Amino acid sequence: MKKLRVFSLFTAVLLLCAVLTSCNSAPKSADLCLPGLEWGQPMDDALAALDTNRKALGEENVSIDEEYGGGYAILEGREAFGQESVSTILRFGGLDAGDTQLAQIIVYYPDDADMEQVLSEMKSTFGEPVEQVAVHFAFNDSISTNEGTSDDANQYWAGPSLKDTLDESKQQEMREAYGASLSDEDWETFLTSPVTTAQWSTDYQSAETITPEQAEAAGIPYYHNAVVLNANHVVSINYLEFQTSE
């Protein structure tokens, strides 16, 4: 039986599993992925699509969990949405040793990047941002929620919900796997979470460096400008598919 990689509450909140509460228009590209990549791609396939590989990146920029699966790859100096980035971090979930499935992309931009051009490119690719998102994750007998509102410094997009993505039988399988202890009300709320989300930010608080002060103390560069793309439930959905094929 393959093991499902379980993310901590801290990591899960950072992955921004969001539910659309009001919007201006539906996204043009519901997958909300970096052009050229696909959610759920193995690491080697994703890197090949970006004309690189693990050897070229070096051991210091690549990690794969050989026990549970998942990992990350860091690429430097790539262009994304019309501007050159400082670094692009690809994060992968997994179901078993060495398994990697693209689940998150964070693009950091330098302070002098034209973030208005980045925003314009994202609108052209994804459509208009939504006004508000609310984050939902299922944990034991409750759900956790975090909210974000689009403003001058942050803009959000939300793809289709789990309820709109999974048929009723798959919803039931997911509940048995992840939400068996949830109330009916909490489960219905959880199903409103979009499978994909995106964020544009000029005051981003990263997982590695929560504040500029902490970044300085740790000797780590701090970047305000970022694009964060998430396939919030791709590993969970793929786990259901794996169970069906067994």
Side-chain angles (χ1 to χ4, degrees):
M1 177 73 176
K2 289 183 181 283
K3 297 179 181 177
L4 173 66
R5 182 172 178 83
V6 180
F7 293 97
S8 67
L9 174 61
F10 178 69
T11 303
V13 170
L14 289 170
L15 284 180
L16 193 59
C17 169
V19 55
L20 171 63
T21 56
S22 62
C23 65
N24 297 321
S25 66
K28 294 178 181 178
S29 178
D31 60 3
L32 300 178
C33 193
L34 193 67
L37 298 182
E38 297 179 4
W39 294 123
Q41 274 184 307
M43 181 184 290
D44 288 337
D45 291 354
L47 294 180
L50 296 174
D51 296 321
T52 189
N53 54 58
R54 283 187 270 171
K55 183 178 180 180
L57 294 179
E59 293 183 358
E60 68 277 13
N61 290 320
V62 177
S63 175
I64 295 179
D65 191 320
E66 295 299 342
E67 182 177 3
Y68 295 108
Y72 66 82
I74 302 174
L75 296 79
E76 299 179 353
R78 296 282 174 146
E79 183 176 307
F81 300 108
Q83 289 287 293
E84 185 172 342
S85 67
V86 175
S87 63
T88 299
I89 301 177
L90 308 181
R91 287 181 172 153
F92 300 81
L95 301 177
D96 204 354
D99 180 37
T100 55
Q101 300 180 30
L102 183 61
Q104 184 189 53
I105 302 167
I106 303 179
V107 184
Y108 293 112
Y109 295 92
D111 289 341
D112 60 355
D114 185 350
M115 292 304 289
E116 289 303 315
Q117 181 183 5
V118 173
L119 180 58
S120 177
E121 292 283 341
M122 291 181 73
K123 288 180 178 180
S124 178
T125 303
F126 300 146
E128 289 298 313
V130 300
E131 293 178 3
Q132 198 170 36
V133 294
V135 181
H136 298 299
F137 278 94
F139 289 100
N140 298 321
D141 60 353
S142 64
I143 58 174
S144 65
T145 300
N146 189 26
E147 297 182 347
T149 301
S150 291
D151 55 26
D152 290 343
N154 292 278
Q155 296 286 313
Y156 298 93
W157 290 258
S161 69
L162 281 167
K163 192 164 189 174
D164 290 337
T165 301
L166 302 175
D167 61 29
E168 291 187 6
S169 65
K170 289 298 182 184
Q171 290 177 33
Q172 183 59 36
E173 289 178 25
M174 179 167 277
R175 183 166 191 177
E176 291 172 0
Y178 309 113
S181 299
L182 293 179
S183 67
D184 291 344
E185 181 179 0
D186 280 347
W187 180 249
E188 286 302 314
T189 299
F190 173 72
L191 286 178
T192 62
S193 295
V195 175
T196 56
T197 53
Q199 178 187 2
W200 168 93
S201 181
T202 56
D203 67 352
Y204 184 63
Q205 304 294 304
S206 73
E208 296 78 14
T209 57
I210 301 304
T211 68
E213 292 75 21
Q214 289 173 328
E216 183 178 359
I220 301 173
Y222 180 83
Y223 302 108
H224 300 276
N225 299 325
V227 166
V228 184
L229 309 173
N230 286 305
N232 307 292
H233 299 291
V234 65
V235 178
S236 299
I237 292 173
N238 288 347
Y239 179 66
L240 298 180
E241 294 298 326
F242 164 74
Q243 286 185 309
T244 301
S245 64
E246 281 289 281

